[in-house]
C-alpha cells in the first residue's frame, strides 16, 4: 500500500522540516508548502490524505486558507491546525472555517503524529462528530 500523504502548510522552515522528518520516519509521504497559494496549487493536482496547517502566515492565513480548501474540496480531507495561537477567538475561528482539530505548537511531536493517525483511521462518516468533540475540548 502506498504511503499516506500529509500536506504541511507551514511558513517556518524549521517547523516544517521538523514535522516532515518525524512524519516521514513514521512512513508518511510529506508534501511541504510554505503558503496557502502553494497548497491550493498542489491540491489542484492531487489531494493529500490529511492537511496540517499553521495559522499565522503571510498573504493568506491558515484560517482563510481552510475556508478556500473547504469551498473547493469539501470536507473529504481532514485539516488539523497547529498554531502558536491559543486564544478562544482564534480557535473558534479555526473550527468555524472548517478545521477538524486544533493543537498548539507547544504540543509534543508525538501528540501531532497521534492526531494524524487518529484522523486517518477514523471513518469519514465519524469525522464531523470527532471534530465537534475536538472543538468542545477547547470550550
Amino acid at each position: 500500500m502506498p504511503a499516506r500523504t500529509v500536506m504541511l502548510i507551514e511558513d517556518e522552515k524549521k517547523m516544517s522540516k521538523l514535522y516532515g522528518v518525524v512524519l516521514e520516519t513514521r512512513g508518511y509521504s510529506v508534501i511541504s508548502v510554505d503558503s496557502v497559494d502553494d497548497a491550493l496549487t498542489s491540491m489542484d493536482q492531487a489531494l493529500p490524505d490529511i492537511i496540517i496547517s499553521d495559522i499565522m502566515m503571510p498573504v493568506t492565513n491558515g484560517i482563510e486558507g481552510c475556508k478556500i480548501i473547504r469551498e473547493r474540496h469539501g470536507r473529504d480531507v481532514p485539516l488539523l491546525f497547529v498554531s502558536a495561537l491559543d486564544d478562544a477567538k482564534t480557535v473558534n475561528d479555526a473550527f468555524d472555517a472548517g478545521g477538524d482539530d486544533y493543537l498548539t505548537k507547544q504540543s509534543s511531536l508525538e501528540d501531532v503524529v497521534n492526531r494524524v493517525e487518529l484522523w486517518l483511521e477514523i471513518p469519514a462518516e465519524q469525522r464531523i462528530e470527532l471534530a465537534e468533540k475536538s472543538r468542545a475540548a477547547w470550550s
Side-chain angles (χ1 to χ4, degrees):
M1 182 167 98
R4 306 292 294 269
T5 303
V6 178
M7 176 177 282
L8 291 173
I9 309 172
E10 172 61 71
D11 63 318
E12 292 181 37
K13 297 290 184 203
K14 287 182 182 179
M15 292 301 294
S16 182
K17 179 140 180 101
L18 182 62
Y19 288 130
V21 167
V22 169
L23 288 163
E24 286 172 349
T25 300
R26 295 289 187 96
Y28 294 99
S29 173
V30 178
I31 300 169
S32 294
V33 294
D34 62 6
S35 71
V36 169
D37 288 341
D38 288 346
L40 294 170
T41 299
S42 177
M43 290 177 72
D44 285 340
Q45 305 304 311
L47 292 178
D49 294 299
I50 192 165
I51 301 166
I52 299 173
S53 181
D54 186 16
I55 289 181
M56 295 185 299
M57 292 183 285
V59 186
T60 306
N61 70 44
I63 291 173
E64 292 304 313
C66 181
K67 290 177 186 176
I68 297 167
I69 289 168
R70 293 305 188 215
E71 287 170 8
R72 290 187 185 179
H73 303 286
R75 296 192 64 99
D76 291 341
V77 178
L79 193 149
L80 286 58
F81 284 105
V82 179
S83 177
L85 303 173
D86 64 356
D87 61 282
K89 181 182 180 339
T90 300
V91 173
N92 282 326
D93 288 349
F95 281 109
D96 287 346
D100 293 301
D101 209 341
Y102 196 102
L103 296 164
T104 64
K105 287 190 177 176
Q106 294 78 13
S107 300
S108 72
L109 290 171
E110 191 66 27
D111 285 344
V112 174
V113 172
N114 287 341
R115 292 291 179 94
V116 166
E117 291 173 353
L118 171 69
W119 281 99
L120 290 175
E121 289 171 3
I122 192 164
E125 61 272 7
Q126 294 178 10
R127 288 184 185 151
I128 291 176
E129 181 182 345
L130 182 58
E132 289 170 358
K133 288 180 181 178
S134 297
R135 182 180 198 141
W138 280 92
S139 299

